[in-house]
Each structure stands twice: as C-alpha cells, then as structure tokens.
Amino acid sequence: MKTGLIGNEISEQIFNEFDLSCKRINSYIKSLDFNGIYIDFPNENNCERIDVPSENSKRSNVVDTIVFKNELSYGFNSDYDAFMYCINRHAIDLKDKKVLIIGNNWISKSILPALEDLNVKEIYIVDQNPDADSISYTECYARHLDSQIVIHTGLTGMNPDIDSIPIDIHLFSKCELLIDYVYDPLISKIEQDALQSGIQTITGIELKIAKIKFATEKIKGTSIQEKLFQSVLDTYYINQLNIVLIGMPSAGKTTIGKLLETKLHKSFIDMDEIIVQDTHTSIPEIFKRSGEAGFRKLETMTALKLSVLNQKIIGTGGGTIKNKINIDLLKLNGVVIFIDRDLDKLVTYDPNRPLSSSQEAVKKLYEERFPIYQKYADITVKNNDKIEDTVEKIICELNRIVKNKKSV
C-alpha cells in the first residue's frame, strides 16, 4: 500500500524511510491503492467527511491525516499532536497563562483543544476580520499586551514576505514564549525580535516536522522516537541553512566560501559580484558615482534578494555589517560567521577595494568595524594560518551550534 501527500514541500526531504514521497493524490484515488493521506493545508470543518474521526479532530473540526482501513476512513489532527509534543519536549508549563493567538484559521482551531488540555487561563484570537470568536488588532494592542504566550499561526513573514511581522513582539513586556508557525525562512523576523528581547521561541520548522512525524506514525503504524526526530530536525536545518561570511576586506571570505562550497555542497555567492552584475557597474565606479551611501543602499537591496534563498554560502562585503538590517535579513535563513584576520594581512592594493588601500586606512576600518563584527557573529574564526584549517574549524562550529539547539 502507498502513502499520499497533498501540498507538502518539506516532507519529501525527510522521513523518506517511511515512504512520504508523493505529492499527487489523484492517481492514488483512482487506483484505490493507498492507505493514508497527509494534507499539508487542510480545509476547516472537514471532519464530517470522515467515517471515524479522532476525538481531537472532532473537537477542532479539522482533519489533516487520513488512514484508510477496512473500507473506512479514520481522521486525525496531527497539528494537535505536534503542538503538544513540542510543548512537552521543551518542558514548558502553560497552566494559568494568558495566550494570544495571531490568526483565525485551521491551525488556531487545531491548537485550541491543546491549550484547553494544558489548562491555560485565557485565550484570545486576533484576526484582521474579527468575528464573535476573535478580536481586532486594535483591541489586541489596547487590552492584551500583558499576554504571556504569543502564538502566530498566519502567513505574515513567510517567504517571499520575509521581512514582515504580524505584531510588534517588543511591546509585549510579559511575553515568555513565542510559538511561530512560519517555517520559511528558518528563523522569521518576529522570532528574531523575540530572541533579541530574551523571549523563548518554538520555530515553525520544529512544528512542521513534528506534524509530519505524527502523520507518518498514524499512516505507517510505526513510532518515531525523539532521537530520530532530533536528527531529522538537525539535518534539515543544516542542509537548508545559509552560511554568511562577514569580515574585513582581504580576510579570506571568498577563498573560504569556495572551499566550503565543495565541502558542504552549497553554492557560493559573492554579494559584491551580485551588485556588479545587477548594476553593470564596477564597485569603484559605484563609489565614484554615488559615494559610499549609494553603494550601501545597493548592498541592502542585495541582502534582501539573497535572504530568501537556502543552501547558499554568502560572502559579504566588508561594510555589510554597517547597516543592521542587512544582517537581520541574512540571518533569516543563515548563520553569520566572522572571519577575523590580523591587521598586517589585510592591506591590499586591489582597485576593487577602495577602502583598504593603505595600512592606516585598514587600521581605522578595523577599529571601527571589529566590535560590530563581534556583535553580529554567531561564530568567530581566526584566519591567520592554513586556510584549510580555518574551513575545518567553521564546519566543526556549525555542527556544534546545531547540536546544541533544542530547536532550530
């Protein structure tokens, strides 16, 4: 018997040993040769179409996993199971908490029973078009900034709209936990803001893979243990992750990037080269025509363009870090690595590096930028000796960061 998938672009890359690989359902329905269906974007109020819905499906009136057995259809709500699983694996206690849900959709309907089972104190659903069961954004900001748990179930911040946020999480002074269902990019803008405010987060990727885990278990009649789940989570994250290299001109970013390209099977992109290609103008000519300010605007436009990509190694210009928005954009799908190098190795007479033409100019730039490089770097690696050793250090640090994360 086979397994059907509807509209899921992640599951074909993970749990492949459980045969979750086909997106097309029509041929399966015609042949009646399948034992289960996983629906990535289920319709609401679809429970009545199922012969034997689970209790949680009936409570939410949403079915996203269907198992066919003995000529009957059995419906399950894997979003409920995934939500409970992620809460438990992070050992989070939601009892007596005030919860704000952004978005009124099948996800919010699916997790409402879970929140009730976890004994939260209050639940408010925020919607652009509020009804009897939801509130407006105006009311949210006026009366509910004391919410302790914020759950974002909408599409705001999803690729390609990745620089948008559904709410300003900084205003929620009592917020302890953000649960965000956006899974593309890897870390959404609202998650970035939450982390900067010291708020714990559960990411959309973790929730997404947890949902597929439970759908797989129902359809295949098997059990996926925590160890395998974490391994899949880590593998997906590191495969999709961009590697963003920052550092002074002549620090070795391009050379290191091309070596990493071979070892990590991610393609290398040089931001300065993209700017030259897009403008059909050399870097010195851009500086001559528009000054540094003009060049920096082009740099931010390029950062936005690259921020939606995955599986890339991005070599930045030396001054990319001067504008915080550049790093925020590149961190949506990337980890930032500072390539540090001693001053005496940074002087260059390359005409394409107009800010690094003398020892005095390099020293001034280094003193100005070093604290910013340190501030934005997830990893700092010295590049003074064999460049192959630097590359190996980067790979080791990447693996360490991923393995030390409970979630991505």
Side-chain angles (χ1 to χ4, degrees):
M1 299 293 281
K2 300 176 182 177
T3 299
L5 286 178
I6 297 178
N8 180 62
E9 69 288 340
I10 289 182
S11 55
E12 68 177 351
Q13 300 179 47
I14 62 178
F15 296 131
N16 54 8
E17 61 266 51
F18 296 97
D19 193 30
L20 282 177
S21 60
C22 182
K23 293 182 180 180
R24 297 181 181 178
I25 190 62
N26 290 338
S27 59
Y28 287 92
I29 292 175
K30 289 177 182 177
S31 66
L32 297 180
D33 185 23
F34 60 96
N35 64 337
I37 302 170
Y38 164 65
I39 307 169
D40 196 21
F41 297 95
N43 292 323
E44 300 173 34
N45 307 320
N46 62 356
C47 196
E48 65 272 9
R49 303 176 185 178
I50 304 300
D51 296 320
V52 187
S54 68
E55 184 60 32
N56 290 327
S57 293
K58 289 190 286 187
R59 291 170 70 190
S60 61
N61 205 5
V62 176
V63 168
D64 58 36
T65 304
I66 307 172
V67 177
F68 299 91
K69 186 177 180 181
N70 299 326
E71 298 184 357
L72 293 175
S73 60
Y74 294 78
F76 304 92
N77 189 321
S78 297
D79 268 315
Y80 172 96
D81 295 323
F83 183 87
M84 295 292 278
Y85 178 71
C86 291
I87 291 294
N88 289 330
R89 76 189 294 264
H90 289 275
I92 296 169
D93 185 5
L94 297 187
K95 185 179 179 181
D96 296 329
K97 301 293 185 181
K98 181 175 180 178
V99 178
L100 190 72
I101 301 176
I102 311 298
N104 193 8
N105 48 47
W106 89 87
I107 297 176
S108 59
K109 288 177 171 58
S110 297
I111 64 177
L112 278 173
L115 291 169
E116 293 169 1
D117 293 343
L118 292 168
N119 299 311
V120 302
K121 184 179 180 180
E122 302 173 74
I123 304 173
Y124 298 92
I125 299 176
V126 184
D127 192 31
Q128 287 184 337
N129 301 300
D131 55 21
D133 299 320
S134 59
I135 63 174
S136 67
Y137 279 85
T138 300
E139 184 177 350
C140 164
Y141 283 115
R143 301 179 57 188
H144 300 291
L145 291 179
D146 61 341
S147 299
Q148 296 154 296
I149 312 297
V150 175
I151 304 173
H152 175 222
T153 67
L155 295 176
T156 304
M158 186 80 82
N159 189 358
D161 188 32
I162 64 173
D163 58 341
S164 297
I165 55 173
I167 58 167
D168 187 349
I169 197 70
H170 297 300
L171 299 177
F172 293 79
S173 59
K174 294 188 178 181
C175 184
E176 306 166 3
L177 172 69
L178 169 71
I179 301 173
D180 185 21
Y181 275 83
V182 168
Y183 56 85
D184 181 11
L186 296 174
I187 302 294
S188 68
K189 182 65 171 66
I190 191 175
E191 289 175 52
Q192 281 188 354
D193 292 345
L195 292 169
Q196 290 171 9
S197 295
I199 299 171
Q200 184 178 0
T201 66
I202 295 178
T203 69
I205 288 293
E206 181 179 359
L207 290 157
K208 186 81 168 180
I209 295 178
K211 178 179 175 179
I212 296 170
K213 161 186 154 63
F214 283 99
T216 302
E217 290 178 336
K218 295 292 193 303
I219 293 171
K220 304 299 291 185
T222 187
S223 178
I224 298 173
Q225 301 302 314
E226 165 68 17
K227 185 177 180 180
L228 175 57
F229 175 82
Q230 186 65 55
S231 175
V232 169
L233 192 60
D234 291 346
T235 300
Y236 182 83
Y237 178 61
I238 201 162
N239 284 346
Q240 292 294 105
L241 188 68
N242 293 331
I243 311 300
V244 181
L245 304 178
I246 64 172
M248 289 284 290
S250 302
K253 299 187 293 294
T254 299
T255 305
I256 289 168
K258 290 181 177 178
L259 287 172
L260 286 171
E261 180 178 41
T262 302
K263 288 185 173 289
L264 298 179
H265 307 291
K266 299 174 186 280
S267 57
F268 177 73
I269 297 175
D270 186 286
M271 281 186 65
D272 284 353
E273 288 183 5
I274 296 296
I275 292 171
V276 170
Q277 291 171 13
D278 288 348
T279 61
H280 305 287
T281 309
S282 68
I283 301 297
E285 186 62 28
I286 293 171
F287 268 80
K288 182 179 178 180
R289 291 181 184 178
S290 307
E292 185 176 354
F295 176 77
R296 297 304 171 202
K297 288 180 181 178
L298 293 171
E299 204 166 43
T300 296
M301 291 171 61
T302 304
L304 178 60
K305 178 179 178 179
L306 298 181
S307 65
V308 302
L309 304 179
N310 294 106
Q311 301 177 336
K312 306 298 180 185
I313 298 167
I314 300 172
T316 66
T320 302
I321 44 82
K322 294 182 70 173
N323 189 346
K324 180 177 179 293
I325 192 173
N326 295 339
I327 299 301
D328 286 346
L329 286 167
L330 294 171
K331 277 195 172 189
L332 293 171
N333 274 314
V335 60
V336 175
I337 301 175
F338 171 31
I339 308 298
D340 190 18
R341 199 173 195 187
D342 288 348
L343 272 171
D344 60 348
K345 295 180 173 65
L346 294 176
V347 178
T348 176
Y349 298 101
D350 184 345
N352 290 313
R353 302 182 187 275
L355 301 180
S356 303
S357 57
S358 69
Q359 188 170 359
E360 293 76 15
V362 169
K363 183 179 179 182
K364 181 179 178 181
L365 276 178
Y366 187 83
E367 291 174 349
E368 172 191 326
R369 295 177 180 176
F370 182 77
I372 311 176
Y373 289 135
Q374 286 188 312
K375 177 181 178 181
Y376 294 136
D378 299 303
I379 298 170
T380 297
V381 177
K382 280 281 190 179
N383 182 35
N384 290 321
D385 301 313
K386 290 179 63 177
I387 203 156
E388 292 80 7
D389 293 340
T390 303
V391 169
E392 288 304 316
K393 287 178 187 176
I394 289 172
I395 294 172
C396 287
E397 285 297 304
L398 283 171
N399 290 326
R400 180 187 62 79
I401 282 182
V402 171
K403 291 185 181 301
N404 285 344
K405 285 178 177 285
K406 183 68 174 179
S407 64
V408 299

